[in-house]
Amino acid sequence: MKPVLIFDLDGTLVDSKKDLTASVNYIRHRFDLPLLSEEEIARFIGDGVLMLIRRALAEKATESSVQAGVQMFLAYYRAHMLDQTALYPGVRETLDRLRDCKLAVLTNKPVHFSCAMLDGLGIYRYFAAVYGGNSFDQKKPDPVGIYQILSDTKGHREKTWMIGDSSVDVRTGRNAGVTTCGVTYGYAAKSFDEHPPDYLIDQFPELEALIHA
């Protein structure tokens, strides 16, 4: 029975902070709001595009401004999402060594952006399934994405891991009854204080020893 490893994307497999920061600041500039730092914008990430833009617009967030902001953001980010985004150290090599597992991605980023990013960075071929924030009626931490991946891969919950950089990923894994692993190098490691994962790793290659233990 092969282990099933389900990965978050931003902050876990890829360091996309600079391109997300530039795209969010583009929206803030369009709405005459001051620019924010990478660290400030990193706190907005993880709950999907709608929530990202709602947080980014702050006091100017109305239903109409958020909807307009989302469309502007998607158009800008589509053109710039691979300007500076890169894999974290050791991701490609570790995925290569985990070929005895079934690998999948479950992110709250829109699925077409996720697939384009994975393809552009040369790792799309590693994954048996990729699902995004618009793949289902509910986003993470709802477990529907994990259930779908288990169906796709004929996997078993007791051999399945959810790996991510925030409490959203931990809660998703808990809700699905699978093992959770947090990465401390991502965007929301502080959120693990409230929702600690079963395991924590400081660098992506450490995952291999955990899985093959």
Side-chain angles (χ1 to χ4, degrees):
M1 187 194 310
K2 289 187 175 183
V4 177
L5 310 183
I6 304 171
F7 298 95
D8 175 48
L9 183 56
D10 300 281
T12 302
L13 295 173
V14 303
D15 185 356
S16 52
K17 195 185 293 183
K18 290 186 186 306
D19 290 330
L20 284 167
T21 297
S23 300
V24 169
N25 275 331
Y26 168 77
I27 301 308
R28 285 181 62 86
H29 175 73
R30 291 287 299 269
F31 282 87
D32 297 315
L33 290 165
L35 305 188
L36 297 176
S37 68
E38 281 186 20
E39 289 68 31
E40 289 169 310
I41 289 173
R43 292 198 288 269
F44 299 166
I45 298 166
D47 295 300
V49 174
L50 192 66
M51 191 59 71
L52 172 67
I53 299 306
R54 195 180 301 282
R55 290 165 177 160
L57 292 180
E59 68 273 13
K60 293 198 175 183
T62 64
E63 283 310 307
S64 60
S65 69
V66 169
Q67 291 300 328
V70 165
Q71 296 310 310
M72 283 186 232
F73 173 85
L74 292 175
Y76 185 91
Y77 190 59
R78 183 180 294 112
H80 296 281
M81 67 177 176
L82 287 172
D83 286 0
Q84 299 183 78
T85 291
L87 299 175
Y88 282 108
V91 165
R92 190 189 313 275
E93 297 82 358
T94 305
L95 292 177
D96 213 41
R97 292 193 294 270
L98 290 170
R99 286 177 181 251
D100 58 332
C101 304
K102 294 181 178 180
L103 310 180
V105 170
L106 179 61
T107 171
N108 279 341
K109 184 193 285 295
V111 67
H112 53 293
F113 285 91
S114 304
C115 292
M117 179 172 283
L118 292 166
D119 188 47
L121 294 171
I123 61 170
Y124 183 79
R125 61 193 171 90
Y126 288 105
F127 301 105
V130 178
Y131 291 108
N134 57 341
S135 296
F136 310 102
D137 289 339
Q138 302 294 327
K139 296 179 175 65
K140 294 185 299 184
D142 191 283
V144 61
I146 292 183
Y147 295 152
Q148 183 60 55
I149 289 166
L150 287 174
S151 174
D152 293 343
T153 60
K154 298 181 171 55
H156 297 266
R157 280 191 298 182
E158 62 272 18
K159 295 278 285 182
T160 298
W161 295 62
M162 180 72 219
I163 300 124
D165 72 313
S166 78
S167 63
V168 172
D169 301 302
V170 176
R171 288 155 54 210
T172 307
R174 292 262 191 275
N175 289 339
V178 305
T179 302
T180 57
C181 178
V183 302
T184 61
Y185 55 77
Y187 306 153
K190 287 192 188 317
S191 65
F192 294 144
D193 293 344
E194 190 173 352
H195 298 278
D198 298 311
Y199 298 92
L200 270 176
I201 57 174
D202 297 322
Q203 299 176 49
F204 192 85
E206 293 172 23
L207 182 64
E208 184 189 0
L210 269 183
I211 301 300
H212 291 149

mmCIF file of all heavy atoms in Angstrom, residues 156-186:
data_model
loop_
_atom_site.group_PDB
_atom_site.id
_atom_site.type_symbol
_atom_site.label_atom_id
_atom_site.label_comp_id
_atom_site.label_asym_id
_atom_site.label_seq_id
_atom_site.Cartn_x
_atom_site.Cartn_y
_atom_site.Cartn_z
ATOM 1 N N HIS A 156 -5.322 5.071 1.323
ATOM 2 C CA HIS A 156 -5.926 4.770 2.624
ATOM 3 C C HIS A 156 -5.534 5.857 3.615
ATOM 4 O O HIS A 156 -4.367 6.275 3.655
ATOM 5 C CB HIS A 156 -5.465 3.402 3.119
ATOM 6 C CG HIS A 156 -5.901 2.277 2.226
ATOM 7 N ND1 HIS A 156 -7.055 1.559 2.442
ATOM 8 C CD2 HIS A 156 -5.349 1.768 1.100
ATOM 9 C CE1 HIS A 156 -7.188 0.638 1.495
ATOM 10 N NE2 HIS A 156 -6.159 0.745 0.671
ATOM 11 N N ARG A 157 -6.489 6.285 4.421
ATOM 12 C CA ARG A 157 -6.244 7.401 5.335
ATOM 13 C C ARG A 157 -5.070 7.149 6.270
ATOM 14 O O ARG A 157 -4.294 8.062 6.566
ATOM 15 C CB ARG A 157 -7.507 7.692 6.156
ATOM 16 C CG ARG A 157 -8.529 8.506 5.399
ATOM 17 C CD ARG A 157 -9.625 9.004 6.279
ATOM 18 N NE ARG A 157 -10.397 7.923 6.881
ATOM 19 C CZ ARG A 157 -11.442 8.098 7.667
ATOM 20 N NH1 ARG A 157 -11.844 9.322 7.958
ATOM 21 N NH2 ARG A 157 -12.102 7.078 8.165
ATOM 22 N N GLU A 158 -4.926 5.905 6.724
ATOM 23 C CA GLU A 158 -3.855 5.620 7.690
ATOM 24 C C GLU A 158 -2.457 5.706 7.063
ATOM 25 O O GLU A 158 -1.455 5.727 7.772
ATOM 26 C CB GLU A 158 -4.062 4.253 8.346
ATOM 27 C CG GLU A 158 -4.021 3.069 7.401
ATOM 28 C CD GLU A 158 -5.377 2.734 6.778
ATOM 29 O OE1 GLU A 158 -6.274 3.609 6.809
ATOM 30 O OE2 GLU A 158 -5.529 1.602 6.296
ATOM 31 N N LYS A 159 -2.396 5.786 5.734
ATOM 32 C CA LYS A 159 -1.105 5.916 5.043
ATOM 33 C C LYS A 159 -1.009 7.246 4.283
ATOM 34 O O LYS A 159 -0.216 7.383 3.365
ATOM 35 C CB LYS A 159 -0.926 4.751 4.046
ATOM 36 C CG LYS A 159 -0.831 3.384 4.690
ATOM 37 C CD LYS A 159 0.573 3.098 5.206
ATOM 38 C CE LYS A 159 1.519 2.774 4.076
ATOM 39 N NZ LYS A 159 2.882 2.439 4.570
ATOM 40 N N THR A 160 -1.838 8.207 4.693
ATOM 41 C CA THR A 160 -1.908 9.490 3.980
ATOM 42 C C THR A 160 -1.408 10.623 4.864
ATOM 43 O O THR A 160 -1.676 10.651 6.065
ATOM 44 C CB THR A 160 -3.352 9.762 3.529
ATOM 45 O OG1 THR A 160 -3.755 8.732 2.621
ATOM 46 C CG2 THR A 160 -3.481 11.110 2.845
ATOM 47 N N TRP A 161 -0.675 11.543 4.244
ATOM 48 C CA TRP A 161 -0.123 12.704 4.931
ATOM 49 C C TRP A 161 -0.602 13.981 4.257
ATOM 50 O O TRP A 161 -0.654 14.066 3.031
ATOM 51 C CB TRP A 161 1.411 12.697 4.858
ATOM 52 C CG TRP A 161 2.094 11.570 5.574
ATOM 53 C CD1 TRP A 161 1.972 10.237 5.320
ATOM 54 C CD2 TRP A 161 3.053 11.698 6.621
ATOM 55 N NE1 TRP A 161 2.790 9.518 6.157
ATOM 56 C CE2 TRP A 161 3.472 10.390 6.968
ATOM 57 C CE3 TRP A 161 3.616 12.786 7.297
ATOM 58 C CZ2 TRP A 161 4.415 10.147 7.968
ATOM 59 C CZ3 TRP A 161 4.555 12.550 8.286
ATOM 60 C CH2 TRP A 161 4.945 11.238 8.617
ATOM 61 N N MET A 162 -0.923 14.994 5.076
ATOM 62 C CA MET A 162 -1.162 16.354 4.591
ATOM 63 C C MET A 162 -0.001 17.211 5.053
ATOM 64 O O MET A 162 0.265 17.309 6.253
ATOM 65 C CB MET A 162 -2.490 16.901 5.136
ATOM 66 C CG MET A 162 -2.824 18.325 4.687
ATOM 67 S SD MET A 162 -3.302 18.428 2.948
ATOM 68 C CE MET A 162 -2.495 19.977 2.461
ATOM 69 N N ILE A 163 0.703 17.823 4.099
ATOM 70 C CA ILE A 163 1.924 18.573 4.398
ATOM 71 C C ILE A 163 1.727 20.023 3.990
ATOM 72 O O ILE A 163 1.413 20.315 2.827
ATOM 73 C CB ILE A 163 3.135 17.962 3.645
ATOM 74 C CG1 ILE A 163 3.345 16.508 4.068
ATOM 75 C CG2 ILE A 163 4.396 18.772 3.892
ATOM 76 C CD1 ILE A 163 3.333 15.532 2.945
ATOM 77 N N GLY A 164 1.904 20.949 4.925
ATOM 78 C CA GLY A 164 1.695 22.353 4.596
ATOM 79 C C GLY A 164 2.351 23.294 5.577
ATOM 80 O O GLY A 164 2.977 22.866 6.551
ATOM 81 N N ASP A 165 2.172 24.595 5.336
ATOM 82 C CA ASP A 165 2.874 25.598 6.133
ATOM 83 C C ASP A 165 1.972 26.356 7.087
ATOM 84 O O ASP A 165 2.413 27.332 7.695
ATOM 85 C CB ASP A 165 3.579 26.599 5.198
ATOM 86 C CG ASP A 165 2.596 27.521 4.491
ATOM 87 O OD1 ASP A 165 1.582 27.012 3.968
ATOM 88 O OD2 ASP A 165 2.831 28.745 4.459
ATOM 89 N N SER A 166 0.719 25.927 7.247
ATOM 90 C CA SER A 166 -0.183 26.692 8.112
ATOM 91 C C SER A 166 -1.178 25.797 8.840
ATOM 92 O O SER A 166 -1.348 24.622 8.511
ATOM 93 C CB SER A 166 -0.959 27.722 7.285
ATOM 94 O OG SER A 166 -2.028 27.100 6.589
ATOM 95 N N SER A 167 -1.852 26.402 9.804
ATOM 96 C CA SER A 167 -2.880 25.681 10.559
ATOM 97 C C SER A 167 -4.031 25.251 9.661
ATOM 98 O O SER A 167 -4.732 24.283 9.970
ATOM 99 C CB SER A 167 -3.411 26.554 11.702
ATOM 100 O OG SER A 167 -4.049 27.714 11.200
ATOM 101 N N VAL A 168 -4.234 25.954 8.542
ATOM 102 C CA VAL A 168 -5.275 25.544 7.590
ATOM 103 C C VAL A 168 -5.008 24.117 7.108
ATOM 104 O O VAL A 168 -5.916 23.280 7.034
ATOM 105 C CB VAL A 168 -5.352 26.521 6.393
ATOM 106 C CG1 VAL A 168 -6.299 25.982 5.318
ATOM 107 C CG2 VAL A 168 -5.802 27.886 6.852
ATOM 108 N N ASP A 169 -3.744 23.820 6.811
ATOM 109 C CA ASP A 169 -3.376 22.481 6.342
ATOM 110 C C ASP A 169 -3.506 21.442 7.456
ATOM 111 O O ASP A 169 -3.970 20.324 7.212
ATOM 112 C CB ASP A 169 -1.946 22.504 5.791
ATOM 113 C CG ASP A 169 -1.800 23.494 4.654
ATOM 114 O OD1 ASP A 169 -2.523 23.353 3.660
ATOM 115 O OD2 ASP A 169 -0.978 24.419 4.772
ATOM 116 N N VAL A 170 -3.116 21.832 8.662
ATOM 117 C CA VAL A 170 -3.256 20.919 9.797
ATOM 118 C C VAL A 170 -4.727 20.589 10.037
ATOM 119 O O VAL A 170 -5.107 19.423 10.198
ATOM 120 C CB VAL A 170 -2.640 21.527 11.079
ATOM 121 C CG1 VAL A 170 -2.882 20.616 12.275
ATOM 122 C CG2 VAL A 170 -1.140 21.761 10.891
ATOM 123 N N ARG A 171 -5.571 21.600 10.022
ATOM 124 C CA ARG A 171 -7.000 21.388 10.258
ATOM 125 C C ARG A 171 -7.624 20.557 9.149
ATOM 126 O O ARG A 171 -8.498 19.718 9.396
ATOM 127 C CB ARG A 171 -7.713 22.734 10.397
ATOM 128 C CG ARG A 171 -7.399 23.441 11.719
ATOM 129 C CD ARG A 171 -7.570 24.946 11.646
ATOM 130 N NE ARG A 171 -8.883 25.327 11.163
ATOM 131 C CZ ARG A 171 -9.118 26.431 10.483
ATOM 132 N NH1 ARG A 171 -8.134 27.272 10.168
ATOM 133 N NH2 ARG A 171 -10.344 26.716 10.097
ATOM 134 N N THR A 172 -7.155 20.767 7.910
ATOM 135 C CA THR A 172 -7.649 19.969 6.787
ATOM 136 C C THR A 172 -7.317 18.498 7.007
ATOM 137 O O THR A 172 -8.174 17.618 6.841
ATOM 138 C CB THR A 172 -7.034 20.451 5.459
ATOM 139 O OG1 THR A 172 -7.240 21.856 5.324
ATOM 140 C CG2 THR A 172 -7.664 19.741 4.277
ATOM 141 N N GLY A 173 -6.069 18.233 7.361
ATOM 142 C CA GLY A 173 -5.653 16.861 7.636
ATOM 143 C C GLY A 173 -6.410 16.243 8.796
ATOM 144 O O GLY A 173 -6.852 15.094 8.717
ATOM 145 N N ARG A 174 -6.564 17.009 9.868
ATOM 146 C CA ARG A 174 -7.310 16.504 11.036
ATOM 147 C C ARG A 174 -8.754 16.168 10.656
ATOM 148 O O ARG A 174 -9.307 15.146 11.063
ATOM 149 C CB ARG A 174 -7.322 17.560 12.138
ATOM 150 C CG ARG A 174 -5.987 17.845 12.778
ATOM 151 C CD ARG A 174 -5.799 17.100 14.075
ATOM 152 N NE ARG A 174 -4.641 17.608 14.771
ATOM 153 C CZ ARG A 174 -3.389 17.230 14.570
ATOM 154 N NH1 ARG A 174 -3.126 16.335 13.636
ATOM 155 N NH2 ARG A 174 -2.389 17.733 15.273
ATOM 156 N N ASN A 175 -9.367 17.064 9.879
ATOM 157 C CA ASN A 175 -10.761 16.860 9.486
ATOM 158 C C ASN A 175 -10.938 15.613 8.635
ATOM 159 O O ASN A 175 -12.027 15.015 8.608
ATOM 160 C CB ASN A 175 -11.289 18.081 8.730
ATOM 161 C CG ASN A 175 -11.476 19.290 9.635
ATOM 162 O OD1 ASN A 175 -11.592 19.146 10.855
ATOM 163 N ND2 ASN A 175 -11.499 20.483 9.056
ATOM 164 N N ALA A 176 -9.869 15.223 7.935
ATOM 165 C CA ALA A 176 -9.926 14.032 7.078
ATOM 166 C C ALA A 176 -9.387 12.787 7.778
ATOM 167 O O ALA A 176 -9.469 11.685 7.226
ATOM 168 C CB ALA A 176 -9.133 14.272 5.794
ATOM 169 N N GLY A 177 -8.825 12.964 8.976
ATOM 170 C CA GLY A 177 -8.308 11.824 9.716
ATOM 171 C C GLY A 177 -6.999 11.276 9.174
ATOM 172 O O GLY A 177 -6.751 10.066 9.229
ATOM 173 N N VAL A 178 -6.120 12.188 8.657
ATOM 174 C CA VAL A 178 -4.828 11.752 8.127
ATOM 175 C C VAL A 178 -3.699 12.384 8.947
ATOM 176 O O VAL A 178 -3.918 13.318 9.722
ATOM 177 C CB VAL A 178 -4.674 12.108 6.631
ATOM 178 C CG1 VAL A 178 -5.836 11.528 5.826
ATOM 179 C CG2 VAL A 178 -4.565 13.620 6.411
ATOM 180 N N THR A 179 -2.488 11.881 8.766
ATOM 181 C CA THR A 179 -1.318 12.410 9.460
ATOM 182 C C THR A 179 -0.982 13.795 8.918
ATOM 183 O O THR A 179 -1.110 14.053 7.725
ATOM 184 C CB THR A 179 -0.117 11.468 9.258
ATOM 185 O OG1 THR A 179 -0.466 10.175 9.743
ATOM 186 C CG2 THR A 179 1.112 11.962 10.008
ATOM 187 N N THR A 180 -0.534 14.689 9.790
ATOM 188 C CA THR A 180 -0.210 16.048 9.378
ATOM 189 C C THR A 180 1.264 16.351 9.624
ATOM 190 O O THR A 180 1.851 15.912 10.610
ATOM 191 C CB THR A 180 -1.067 17.084 10.124
ATOM 192 O OG1 THR A 180 -0.888 16.921 11.532
ATOM 193 C CG2 THR A 180 -2.542 16.914 9.784
ATOM 194 N N CYS A 181 1.847 17.108 8.715
ATOM 195 C CA CYS A 181 3.238 17.533 8.834
ATOM 196 C C CYS A 181 3.322 19.005 8.467
ATOM 197 O O CYS A 181 2.891 19.404 7.380
ATOM 198 C CB CYS A 181 4.137 16.696 7.927
ATOM 199 S SG CYS A 181 5.883 17.202 7.963
ATOM 200 N N GLY A 182 3.873 19.802 9.363
ATOM 201 C CA GLY A 182 4.035 21.221 9.103
ATOM 202 C C GLY A 182 5.459 21.552 8.698
ATOM 203 O O GLY A 182 6.408 20.913 9.159
ATOM 204 N N VAL A 183 5.612 22.551 7.820
ATOM 205 C CA VAL A 183 6.936 23.046 7.445
ATOM 206 C C VAL A 183 7.118 24.423 8.090
ATOM 207 O O VAL A 183 6.235 25.272 8.003
ATOM 208 C CB VAL A 183 7.116 23.109 5.919
ATOM 209 C CG1 VAL A 183 6.895 21.728 5.306
ATOM 210 C CG2 VAL A 183 6.194 24.123 5.258
ATOM 211 N N THR A 184 8.266 24.614 8.747
ATOM 212 C CA THR A 184 8.461 25.849 9.516
ATOM 213 C C THR A 184 8.997 27.000 8.667
ATOM 214 O O THR A 184 9.038 28.137 9.129
ATOM 215 C CB THR A 184 9.438 25.608 10.670
ATOM 216 O OG1 THR A 184 10.707 25.195 10.143
ATOM 217 C CG2 THR A 184 8.923 24.522 11.609
ATOM 218 N N TYR A 185 9.393 26.730 7.415
ATOM 219 C CA TYR A 185 10.018 27.759 6.583
ATOM 220 C C TYR A 185 8.996 28.553 5.777
ATOM 221 O O TYR A 185 9.364 29.474 5.048
ATOM 222 C CB TYR A 185 11.037 27.122 5.621
ATOM 223 C CG TYR A 185 10.452 26.015 4.767
ATOM 224 C CD1 TYR A 185 9.658 26.298 3.663
ATOM 225 C CD2 TYR A 185 10.686 24.677 5.073
ATOM 226 C CE1 TYR A 185 9.106 25.291 2.889
ATOM 227 C CE2 TYR A 185 10.148 23.659 4.302
ATOM 228 C CZ TYR A 185 9.360 23.976 3.216
ATOM 229 O OH TYR A 185 8.807 22.968 2.462
ATOM 230 N N GLY A 186 7.708 28.204 5.871
ATOM 231 C CA GLY A 186 6.684 28.833 5.034
ATOM 232 C C GLY A 186 6.185 30.155 5.580
ATOM 233 O O GLY A 186 6.917 30.898 6.232
#
